[in-house]
Amino acid sequence: MPRHDSGKQNILSAALETAGIYAVAALLLLAGTFVSPKFLTGDNLLEILAAVALLGIVSAGMAFVTYSGSMADLSLPSIMAFSGIIAVASLPLGLAAALALGVLAGLAVGAMNGFVVGRLNANPILWTLSVAFFMEGFMRFAWSNNQLYPDSAPGTPGAAFIGIFRIGVGIHPPVLRTTPLQGGSGTVPLVVVVMFLMFLLAHFIMTRTRFGRESQLVGSSRATARASGIRVPRVVFLNFLFAAFAASVAGIFLTSMNKLGVFYLGQGYDFKAVTAVVIGGVMLSGGRGRLSGVLGGVLVIGLLSNIMQFLGITAFRQNIVTGLVFIAVVGLQQYQLRAKGRDYA
Amino acid sequence: MRSATRITRLLNEHRALLMLLVLFAGLSAWAPNFLSVHNMTTILKGASLNAIVAIGFTLILILGQLDLSIGAVVMLCGMLVIGLQPRLGWYGAFPVSLAAGGLVGLVNGWLVVRARINAFIVTLGTMTIVMGLTHLYSDGGSKSIDDFRLADWLDRPALSFLPPIVIITLLLVVGSALLLQGTRHGRNFFMVGANPDAAWLAGLHRDRYLMAGFVLCGLGAAAGGTLFAAGLSSMTSSAVLGSRTLMTVLAAVIIGGTLMSGGKGSILKSYFAVLMLTMLFNGIGCFGLGFEVQIFVNGLILAAVVLYEAYTLHRHELLRGPRPELMEEAERIQNSEFRIQKEASDENTGEGEMSDKNRFALVCVTLVAIVAITAITAMYFRQAALQAQVIAAGRAVPAAGTAAPALDIYALRGTDHQPYLFPPDGGKMQIPARPADPKALPETDKLHWWDIEYAGWKVDKAPMPASPKDGPKGKRVILLKAGDHPYWTAYVRGFTTIAGFYGMDIKVFNGNWNMDLQAQQADQALNEKPDMIIFAPVDATGCTPLLRKIHQAGIPCITSNTTPCDEAMKYCIAWTGPDDWGQFRMLSRAFADKLGRQGGYAIIRHMPGSSPFFSRTFAPITELGAYAPDMKLLAMDTTNLEAEVSMQLVGAWLAKFGTDLKGLILAGDDFPMTGTLEALKKAGRTDVVIVAAGNSKTGMDSVKAGDALAVTYQSAEGDGAIAVHSAARWFSGEALDPVVYLPKHLITKADVDEFMPAQW
């Protein structure tokens, strides 16, 4: 069924599409207040944000890959581990150089993915899976399965590197000072700030730039995009590059938090990020979705797991609940789309 | 030049078989101990789980769908069949488990067909759910049965060198391949997958085929899981088995030539590809190379196949259309653009034959390049492995040299300047009497855990092979280690040093935490007929049939690290490793003393499926129940030993319990410690007492900084050393205790410096 909506109408309907996930989030917030009086406090809300910050950063990158029709980048966990290891290994060169090299290492893998998927048209899932395989093998071999510790003596770049995750930014969001949310300690972890910045940047790129629009068309229909003169390989390349960039940033934070670099850091972030992206309303078939929705998806995941921890639900049962909520939310979205006659998936 | 294209196409069509043959030829020529009937049986047996799962997975890809839940279904159905067998018998347990797998498939199918949700999403969701159900059903532990008749029957060669498990696999593969290719309904699957609309127009009930596909895929995974569990008489709950099965099967099916877009695929070729990957793992193991090489080569092969697939698709798309010659013209122009004008200078490429030739040449060059890259990498790894061995040997020699000829093994010191080994003290353990039915007691009763805590002490051993009594020198020992972890790197370091001291010849297989892989490696180790196998099991109960097999082959075996269950202890000379229960009882007493024997505490548990999952949880609970009855357990849960998850969990606990939470017991002093300290810092709490299982750098740093009260001293190097040392003692004719513990010690701020630098 052809779409005729454009302009205002389009913005409105798009906003409605992401409203759903925020409704779920609001529902969870409400449920949380019944679970424990300590739930709706500044400290706990900040805790939830900090808990999903890394997932949020990775998801913002993954969203680009999904949005542009490449479904998922399964090599993101290995990119996270790799950039972390490289950063720790190059700490003797100074903190700035180490961070730059870490991100560059991640970007290199992303560039390879982008080239192969964009230019050579390889199946993205399978290609990134094979990259995950040989990157794991490579990292295990090159560092003989060992952990890489930064030098943690005070004053060294290593200590500064470990501190990255632990920096609190002293901004005082007014919401933390208002009443039911008392008790906010006033400092927001850097990683949370970076997550929001990453979402802002990603949102800006996706909605306000030519590249973002091109990504949408590539995600909707590669053939149409090519026929209308878009350089598809370039667009796909940049999408994978952005995903790798986000994953490297998250990887460096993760490594800094763990105080060591090792090949298995970041495991599981591939499927977790896809979950957040899809729950946030980005279609796996590409070309549809918004980053505000992805942020909502990330928040829902954080709220859900926090509430379950408050309830004392064990990890095994949490898995089951998360899976059920995931399928239910996506099923509802699908149902809504179909009701509007927009079921192209 | 049409024939050249045809040959390329033919080669590509049968690439799985071709790779299998080339690999077979190559390994037969070069790999030591590869070419033997036993080893072929090992490979065929090892492939059976993945091969059966691949049947259904091929079908689902032919339909153009995806099923990520197969790994979880393998786990669930394996667990169910073992859990139900004592009550229902095999005839009851098999149908129920298969039905469970079919039910998961039915749910998947319903959600995809009726709710119209993308299969990737649906099965990603069900994967999490089914995995959770598996853990819930098994309580995070393994399940096993004492009845080995079926396992023995499945394993014993029936038809010349083929055991029934291989025959069943072959029957399933050939049968389903015939059904798929030879019947109308079977062929309809291809049509539905290739073009659903056309299939619908042709009068096929599309949804029914999709539904059938998902159910059959679930059934296939269930069949694989149940047979695997039956073959081991036990099932592990470690999620690695599931995820590795999914990844390997996915890779194999694609290598076998099935398209992800649907409409093309072959069960037989998937089987060849599974065999190829199994053979590759086996062959790399023959060279004594680690898992890193296996996963690397696996990745390269998959990458090459994916690239080639993309290349053919590109060809195909270019040549599609009503005017092939025009399209070829367009393709040529595009090509010249693609190749940065390289071909633009070449004026004579107008002929179709020429471009065919180019194409063929390109394919050849690509193939050669891939082979060359693989070969170079392999050589590089081989070289590096050799160098590593030299380094390891070199490290051992000066240690031995400095200690003069009358060298004393107890004077050798590890990287933390602690002795690797202590002389056996001859002290006897106090073992309480075993209650009639330990499981009937509550979990908080110490004796509930008798079978795990005192495994091996009171067991009646099967008749053991006699010691040659000619000393350890020149003996060939194979180490089957559980997996890769920095702890295990240190373990192997201690192992190699002591083996080098005694002049033993060692070879290491890495099970990568995967029960399926370790079962194959046990067979492989048997084929090499070593003088001794040192076995660090992936799973405490799953290792029983493997140990029985080793015992039946008459090879002496010492188990190490993970404490096997009582049944498994029957078949090994001794077990060496840390006294996890004893250490944690000591640790919890120190913990209680510090807290004045009151207040609430919580426990971060180890990974489900591991033996510390229980020991490091219930040793403190039972000990504190008796020693400090006023202390209250507020919460316990696993964080899969991840720092981030630990941070979130402890954060939530702190918010929930506030100052009621006085202490934390951690199953690991590395990632859980980092996460816990982070959460405490954020909450501004400095009063919480922390104890943990040690002794990594992170843990000892925290003890030194005063953040943690104590960690246990569990020397990884000592763990490896004591295993090989016990082997040496056995070779010299000494009698071993059935259980040989590492020394028990708590590292506190007072003596932490003596244990620095950390081993890992």
Side-chain angles (χ1 to χ4, degrees):
Chain A
M1 191 177 286
R3 289 167 71 181
H4 296 296
D5 47 11
S6 61
K8 242 182 213 168
Q9 217 181 337
N10 199 353
I11 293 169
L12 194 71
S13 65
L16 274 177
E17 272 170 31
T18 55
I21 194 68
Y22 283 97
V24 177
L27 214 66
L28 284 173
L29 269 178
L30 194 69
T33 52
F34 291 111
V35 168
S36 164
K38 288 166 190 161
F39 176 78
L40 204 65
T41 57
D43 270 344
N44 192 47
L45 294 184
L46 211 54
E47 178 74 43
I48 295 174
L49 279 181
V52 292
L54 287 177
L55 177 63
I57 296 175
V58 181
S59 304
M62 182 71 99
F64 273 82
V65 173
T66 314
Y67 190 64
S68 64
S70 301
M71 287 184 82
D73 184 345
L74 300 183
S75 68
L76 290 188
S78 53
I79 292 179
M80 291 170 76
F82 190 50
S83 58
I85 290 184
I86 292 291
V88 174
S90 44
L91 272 174
L93 304 175
L95 184 64
L99 295 184
L101 281 173
V103 173
L104 269 181
L107 287 180
V109 181
M112 176 174 68
N113 288 339
F115 174 77
V116 171
V117 176
R119 168 60 97 186
L120 307 180
N121 260 320
N123 181 312
I125 298 264
L126 297 174
W127 171 258
T128 52
L129 178 68
S130 63
V131 170
F133 277 169
F134 68 68
M135 283 302 292
E136 183 186 338
F138 170 70
M139 284 186 287
R140 280 171 177 234
F141 173 74
W143 285 276
S144 359
N145 292 316
N146 272 323
Q147 292 169 339
L148 228 62
Y149 293 97
D151 180 10
S152 55
T156 56
F161 180 77
I162 289 176
I164 292 177
F165 183 80
R166 291 158 179 83
I167 298 175
V169 179
I171 47 174
H172 296 256
V175 67
L176 287 180
R177 272 181 271 146
T178 49
T179 31
L181 307 172
Q182 289 161 340
S185 47
T187 52
V188 179
L190 177 66
V191 62
V192 173
V193 178
V194 169
M195 175 185 79
F196 282 115
L197 287 179
M198 190 65 88
F199 269 106
L200 272 179
L201 175 71
H203 185 76
F204 175 79
I205 292 178
M206 207 177 261
T207 53
R208 295 275 179 271
T209 65
R210 185 186 165 132
F211 162 67
R213 285 161 214 271
E214 287 179 350
S215 295
Q216 183 176 28
L217 191 53
V218 170
S220 308
S221 165
R222 258 193 191 210
T224 316
R226 192 162 51 218
S228 52
I230 291 174
R231 284 191 282 173
V232 176
R234 190 169 147 270
V235 173
V236 174
F237 177 83
L238 288 175
N239 275 303
F240 272 91
L241 205 62
F242 187 80
F245 170 69
S248 324
V249 171
I252 285 175
F253 271 110
L254 186 64
T255 309
S256 159
M257 135 157 233
N258 279 294
K259 301 183 184 173
L260 53 86
V262 68
F263 64 88
Y264 47 73
L265 284 187
Q267 259 173 24
Y269 269 97
D270 42 0
F271 285 141
K272 272 194 249 172
V274 175
T275 310
V277 166
V278 169
I279 232 179
V282 178
M283 289 285 139
L284 264 190
S285 44
R288 182 193 293 278
R290 317 188 85 214
L291 273 157
S292 51
V294 177
L295 181 61
V298 170
L299 294 180
V300 163
I301 290 176
L303 285 167
L304 192 64
S305 102
N306 187 270
I307 289 176
M308 286 194 288
Q309 279 166 349
F310 261 104
L311 285 172
I313 297 178
T314 57
F316 305 155
R317 290 194 174 85
Q318 285 186 25
N319 274 342
I320 300 175
V321 176
T322 315
L324 287 175
V325 170
F326 175 55
I327 292 182
V329 169
V330 177
L332 271 176
Q333 287 167 349
Q334 204 74 34
Y335 177 78
Q336 267 184 329
L337 278 182
R338 219 172 341 145
K340 285 190 211 149
R342 283 202 195 147
D343 177 23
Y344 312 113
Chain B
M1 277 295 166
R2 288 276 163 234
S3 60
T5 333
R6 209 170 298 145
I7 290 171
T8 335
R9 195 173 301 155
L10 208 64
L11 288 182
N12 182 42
E13 273 302 302
H14 298 286
R15 65 183 177 213
L17 187 59
L18 216 64
M19 280 189 216
L20 183 67
L21 293 177
V22 170
L23 193 70
F24 179 73
L27 288 174
S28 306
W30 288 300
N33 296 318
F34 175 79
L35 193 63
S36 72
V37 176
H38 280 299
N39 202 35
M40 293 310 112
T41 315
T42 304
I43 292 170
L44 285 170
K45 263 195 313 206
S48 55
L49 166 63
N50 289 337
I52 296 175
V53 178
I55 298 174
F57 198 71
T58 310
L59 189 65
I60 215 76
L61 284 197
I62 287 174
L63 284 172
Q65 305 289 333
L66 190 65
D67 189 347
L68 298 176
S69 68
I70 49 169
V73 172
V74 164
M75 303 276 306
L76 177 71
C77 296
M79 202 61 89
L80 274 177
V81 82
I82 295 296
L84 295 175
Q85 196 272 341
R87 248 177 300 161
L88 304 178
W90 290 117
Y91 291 109
F94 270 114
V96 174
S97 312
L98 289 177
L103 189 69
V104 175
L106 196 68
V107 172
N108 284 338
W110 189 85
L111 286 169
V112 170
V113 171
R114 289 267 152 237
R116 306 272 293 271
I117 312 176
N118 187 310
F120 186 93
I121 299 172
V122 169
T123 54
L124 183 59
T126 45
M127 171 174 85
T128 336
I129 297 173
V130 172
M131 209 60 225
L133 285 175
T134 311
H135 279 150
L136 212 55
Y137 179 65
S138 72
D139 260 338
S142 310
K143 280 194 182 296
S144 67
I145 48 173
D146 298 335
D147 180 3
F148 286 98
R149 279 172 303 171
L150 184 62
D152 283 345
W153 181 77
L154 283 172
D155 195 54
R156 201 156 288 155
L159 264 174
S160 68
F161 65 99
L162 296 179
I165 192 159
V166 174
I167 299 173
I168 294 174
T169 311
L170 283 174
L171 283 179
L172 281 175
V173 168
V174 174
S176 42
L178 284 179
L179 282 180
L180 189 63
Q181 245 105 18
T183 64
R184 194 163 57 86
H185 282 299
R187 284 193 301 271
N188 286 346
F189 277 101
F190 288 94
M191 185 144 174
V192 173
N195 193 335
D197 295 338
W200 189 78
L201 288 173
L204 294 181
H205 203 307
R206 200 191 73 152
D207 290 356
R208 251 182 233 165
Y209 280 94
L210 284 181
M211 203 70 122
F214 276 102
V215 172
L216 287 173
C217 188
L219 275 178
T226 48
L227 267 183
F228 174 74
L232 287 179
S233 289
S234 74
M235 189 64 185
T236 168
S237 69
S238 152
V240 177
L241 175 66
S243 57
R244 283 290 171 197
T245 304
L246 170 64
M247 293 305 173
T248 315
V249 168
L250 177 55
V253 169
I254 297 300
I255 292 171
T258 303
L259 284 185
M260 247 188 144
S261 45
K264 182 171 174 279
S266 151
I267 291 174
L268 222 50
K269 286 174 193 163
S270 298
Y271 181 62
F272 291 141
V274 169
L275 267 189
M276 195 271 290
L277 285 182
T278 318
M279 191 179 282
L280 180 77
F281 280 28
N282 183 293
I284 289 174
C286 281
F287 283 114
L289 295 178
F291 185 77
E292 58 268 30
V293 184
Q294 298 171 0
I295 189 98
F296 187 82
V297 176
N298 190 350
L300 279 190
I301 293 180
L302 184 61
V305 165
V306 172
L307 283 182
Y308 185 78
E309 213 64 76
Y311 172 76
T312 42
L313 195 70
H314 175 65
R315 295 274 109 203
H316 184 72
E317 270 180 2
L318 287 176
L319 291 174
R320 210 168 46 184
R323 299 280 301 274
E325 72 280 6
L326 270 185
M327 297 306 288
E328 259 180 273
E329 186 83 8
E331 170 214 350
R332 215 187 69 240
I333 295 165
Q334 212 170 2
N335 264 348
S336 56
E337 263 180 18
F338 274 12
R339 306 241 161 71
I340 318 163
Q341 314 290 330
K342 201 190 263 174
E343 279 173 31
S345 59
D346 196 356
E347 297 291 331
N348 297 332
T349 43
E351 300 288 310
E353 284 179 343
M354 268 307 274
S355 103
D356 263 336
K357 205 188 227 164
N358 286 345
R359 200 175 308 157
F360 185 62
L362 197 69
V363 171
C364 286
V365 169
T366 324
L367 279 177
V368 169
I370 289 167
V371 170
I373 291 171
T374 320
I376 292 168
T377 336
M379 286 304 292
Y380 177 62
F381 278 122
R382 178 103 187 92
Q383 204 64 36
L386 285 176
Q387 272 170 3
Q389 275 169 13
V390 170
I391 292 166
R395 210 182 272 153
V397 168
T402 47
L407 26 101
D408 176 13
I409 189 130
Y410 302 111
L412 289 184
R413 282 173 186 263
T415 50
D416 56 355
H417 307 309
Q418 290 293 315
Y420 282 112
L421 296 160
F422 295 89
D425 56 0
K428 285 285 166 221
M429 277 275 293
Q430 295 291 320
I431 315 280
R434 181 180 186 273
D437 183 11
K439 292 277 173 245
L441 298 167
E443 283 190 342
T444 46
D445 190 322
K446 190 178 163 184
L447 292 175
H448 176 94
W449 306 100
W450 196 97
D451 283 342
I452 309 183
E453 181 165 5
Y454 302 112
W457 279 104
K458 292 284 169 75
V459 72
D460 294 322
K461 299 256 183 203
M464 284 294 151
S467 160
K469 300 195 176 167
D470 53 358
K473 193 156 179 54
K475 290 286 189 292
R476 288 182 58 241
V477 176
I478 289 185
L479 168 65
L480 296 173
K481 69 166 177 164
D484 273 334
H485 188 273
Y487 180 90
W488 283 96
T489 313
Y491 180 101
V492 173
R493 204 158 58 222
F495 193 93
T496 354
T497 311
I498 302 299
F501 178 90
Y502 282 123
M504 292 170 162
D505 182 19
I506 57 169
K507 183 167 181 179
V508 183
F509 285 99
N510 177 3
N512 202 45
W513 313 114
N514 183 347
M515 207 49 231
D516 187 24
L517 193 58
Q518 192 165 47
Q520 295 169 37
Q521 289 173 342
D523 275 330
Q524 216 176 335
L526 278 182
N527 295 335
E528 300 207 1
K529 300 197 171 48
D531 296 310
M532 161 88 77
I533 290 177
I534 293 182
F535 188 179
V538 169
D539 186 273
T541 54
C543 62
T544 315
L546 307 181
L547 280 164
R548 278 183 84 229
K549 215 185 289 178
I550 294 172
H551 179 254
Q552 280 162 5
I555 294 174
C557 176
I558 289 179
T559 44
S560 173
N561 187 263
T562 296
T563 327
C565 62
D566 238 4
E567 184 64 25
M569 288 284 199
K570 269 187 201 166
Y571 306 106
C572 59
I573 301 168
W575 171 79
T576 68
D579 178 10
D580 229 5
W581 289 84
Q583 291 260 59
F584 259 70
R585 293 193 184 287
M586 252 166 75
L587 192 67
S588 5
R589 278 196 298 272
F591 177 69
D593 288 341
K594 175 79 180 175
L595 286 168
R597 302 199 196 181
Q598 17 210 312
Y601 66 100
I603 300 176
I604 291 190
R605 307 182 70 178
H606 209 270
M607 301 251 221
S610 67
S611 62
F613 182 71
F614 295 103
S615 58
R616 295 179 188 174
T617 306
F618 287 103
I621 291 178
T622 55
E623 189 68 21
L624 291 175
Y627 185 72
D630 289 343
M631 292 186 71
K632 189 163 171 273
L633 175 68
L634 297 174
M636 60 174 188
D637 204 355
T638 174
T639 59
N640 283 316
L641 300 185
E642 282 175 35
E644 216 197 336
V645 186
S646 307
M647 180 180 80
Q648 293 159 19
L649 186 65
V650 174
W653 281 347
L654 287 172
K656 186 178 173 189
F657 302 115
T659 47
D660 289 344
L661 185 65
K662 303 279 189 214
L664 285 162
I665 299 176
L666 317 179
D669 72 341
D670 47 348
F671 296 115
M673 180 72 87
T674 312
T676 301
L677 292 181
E678 216 44 57
L680 287 174
K681 209 176 97 191
K682 242 186 238 161
R685 293 280 298 272
T686 49
D687 59 317
V688 180
V689 175
I690 300 172
V691 291
N695 53 329
S696 74
K697 182 179 184 299
T698 315
M700 291 204 289
D701 281 348
S702 331
V703 170
K704 194 171 174 170
D707 295 328
L709 173 69
V711 296
T712 57
Y713 175 59
Q714 182 183 329
S715 164
E717 290 172 1
D719 198 4
I722 200 166
V724 81
H725 179 58
S726 303
R729 284 172 57 204
W730 184 81
F731 280 127
S732 313
E734 278 183 60
L736 298 179
D737 272 340
V739 173
V740 184
Y741 285 136
L742 284 169
K744 287 194 269 289
H745 181 71
L746 294 187
I747 300 178
T748 54
K749 203 170 181 178
D751 61 355
V752 65
D753 283 327
E754 292 170 30
F755 297 90
M756 302 279 216
Q759 294 175 353
W760 54 282

